[in-house]
Amino acid sequence: MSRAPARRDAEGRFLNPDGSASGQPLAQVWRMMREGAGTPWPREVRDPPQSPPAEPPPGHAAVTFIGHSTFLIRIAGGPTLLTDPVWSERCSPFTFLGPRRARAPGLALDALPPLDAVLVSHNHYDHMDVATLRKLRAPRIITGLDNAPILARNRIPGAEELDWWGEAQVGTATVTYVPARHFSARGIRDRGRSLWGGFAIRTAAGSILFAGDTAYGGHLAEIGTEFGPFGIGLIPIGAYEPRWFMRAVHMNPEEAVRARTDLQVRTAVAMHFGTFKLTQEGIDEPPRALAATREAAGLDAGDFVVPRFGETLVLPL
C-alpha cells in the first residue's frame, strides 16, 4: 500500500515494509560470528586532504562525504543538513571495545557550518552516535518513531519523531522519513523497538534521497514512484558479507545499482563503506565491486560516484 505507516507485531516491535520481522534471529547472529571476521582491514588509512566545502550555485547541492553514512548537505538557498553524524573513534556502546574507525572523519567537527537540522536514520551505533550529537548541539534532530527517548536518556532532548512517510519542514525543504528494510537495536533485548528509515529531501529546485541503512526490496521502487526522480541519491554499498546473513539488512553493490534505477536517481553517491569494519568483506571491496557492476550495467562513473573521504561533490538537483 502506498504511503503505509510502519506496522508492529503482537509484541510491539516494528516490522519491515513487506511485513517481515526485522533483522535476523539471534541464533543466526551467533552462527555468523562463528564464521570469523573475514578479510582483515588496515589499522589506519590516511586519505589526502580535500578542499573545504563550497557554497553551491543555484539549483545545486554541495554534498561532503565525511565518512560511513555521515554527509554534510548544503542546498543552494538552504537548508544545511547533516546525516547520521559519527565523529567518535568507535561505533559501540563502549569507548574501549567495538568497531574502530579506519579513517579519520573527512571534516573536523568544528569546521562544520551552522546547521538547520540533523537527520538520524535509526538507532544503531554507527548511525546514532550520542557523543557526537551532544557536541553538535544541533537546533533540530529529526528521526524515526521511538528514537527520541533514547536520545533524551543521553541528555539530547527535543528530537522530532516521524513515522514512515511523515514530513517535517526545514526552511524551504520538505523532509520525509521513508521506509527501509533493516532493523533497530542498541542491545540484545530491544530489537525493533524503534523505527528505521531514510530521508527524502524535496526543494523547489529538485530532490535528494538519503537512503539510510537498508536491504534491497520493493520499498525502493515505491519511494522512487512517490518522490522521484531524485537529482542526488546517497545509497549504501558496503557491509554485505556473508551474504546469507546480510542480505536481510544491507545491499551489496549489485543491488545498490538496481536500487539507483528503482529510486529514479540521476547521480548516486556511495556511502556506508570503508570507515568501520562491520562485516567480512575487505575495506576496498565495495568500491571495486561497484565499479565492475556499474560497467556491466553500462553506467558511467558519474552515474554512481564513489566519493573520496572529505570530498565535496557539487551536483545539480
Side-chain angles (χ1 to χ4, degrees):
M1 180 186 297
S2 179
R3 295 211 183 200
R7 293 177 290 164
R8 301 178 191 249
D9 65 14
E11 297 181 352
R13 299 179 189 273
F14 286 105
L15 299 170
N16 277 313
D18 61 2
S20 63
S22 63
Q24 292 275 23
L26 197 56
Q28 298 289 66
V29 176
W30 301 138
R31 175 189 162 192
M32 180 194 67
M33 292 176 69
R34 289 195 299 271
E35 290 187 4
T39 304
W41 279 31
R43 174 68 176 74
E44 182 181 15
V45 177
R46 295 192 177 187
D47 295 294
Q50 302 292 320
S51 300
E55 283 283 350
H60 290 67
V63 178
T64 303
F65 183 43
I66 294 166
H68 199 55
S69 298
T70 306
F71 285 86
L72 173 66
I73 302 172
R74 305 179 77 176
I75 298 172
T80 297
L81 306 168
L82 191 65
T83 65
D84 288 357
V86 181
W87 265 262
S88 292
E89 185 69 9
R90 296 183 187 273
C91 56
S92 166
F94 310 106
T95 58
F96 57 89
L97 186 69
R100 183 182 183 281
R101 63 167 62 244
R103 287 179 158 100
L107 188 68
L109 196 65
D110 59 9
L112 289 172
L115 301 172
D116 294 297
V118 172
L119 310 180
V120 178
S121 64
H122 65 299
N123 75 359
H124 284 158
Y125 289 94
D126 58 321
H127 297 263
M128 180 189 284
D129 177 21
V130 295
T132 295
L133 290 168
R134 279 198 296 264
K135 292 175 184 175
L136 278 172
R137 300 181 181 274
R140 296 176 71 181
I141 297 175
I142 301 172
T143 187
L145 293 178
D146 293 341
N147 282 306
I150 300 170
L151 295 169
R153 287 196 297 271
N154 286 278
R155 306 193 307 279
I156 308 166
E160 303 169 42
E161 294 184 344
L162 297 176
D163 197 350
W164 287 339
W165 310 108
E167 296 182 348
Q169 199 70 25
V170 183
T172 58
T174 301
V175 175
T176 305
Y177 195 56
V178 294
R181 185 169 177 239
H182 195 56
F183 74 114
S184 63
R186 288 177 79 81
I188 61 173
R189 297 181 179 179
D190 65 340
R191 192 181 74 177
R193 295 295 182 184
S194 63
L195 194 54
W196 53 92
F199 294 92
I201 305 156
R202 292 174 290 151
T203 74
S207 300
I208 302 172
L209 177 75
F210 173 69
D213 220 351
T214 185
Y216 186 79
H219 63 286
L220 300 169
E222 185 176 3
I223 294 166
T225 298
E226 287 291 316
F227 296 133
F230 293 96
I232 305 165
L234 311 178
I235 298 177
I237 67 166
Y240 53 81
E241 292 292 352
R243 203 74 204 112
W244 67 263
F245 182 91
M246 288 295 165
R247 66 165 49 95
V249 293
H250 290 152
M251 291 189 287
N252 64 14
E254 180 181 353
E255 291 169 325
V257 168
R258 289 163 56 194
R260 172 187 173 272
T261 299
D262 292 352
L263 291 162
Q264 301 181 38
V265 167
R266 183 180 60 243
T267 303
V269 179
M271 66 175 183
H272 206 266
F273 70 96
T275 309
F276 297 104
K277 181 170 174 47
L278 304 174
T279 50
Q280 293 179 358
E281 74 270 13
I283 190 169
D284 294 327
E285 183 55 28
R288 283 200 300 265
L290 178 65
T293 302
R294 188 177 57 208
E295 182 178 354
L299 299 176
D300 294 330
D303 293 329
F304 206 136
V305 180
V306 178
R308 295 186 294 273
F309 285 74
E311 181 179 15
T312 298
L313 304 170
V314 179
L315 300 169
L317 289 167

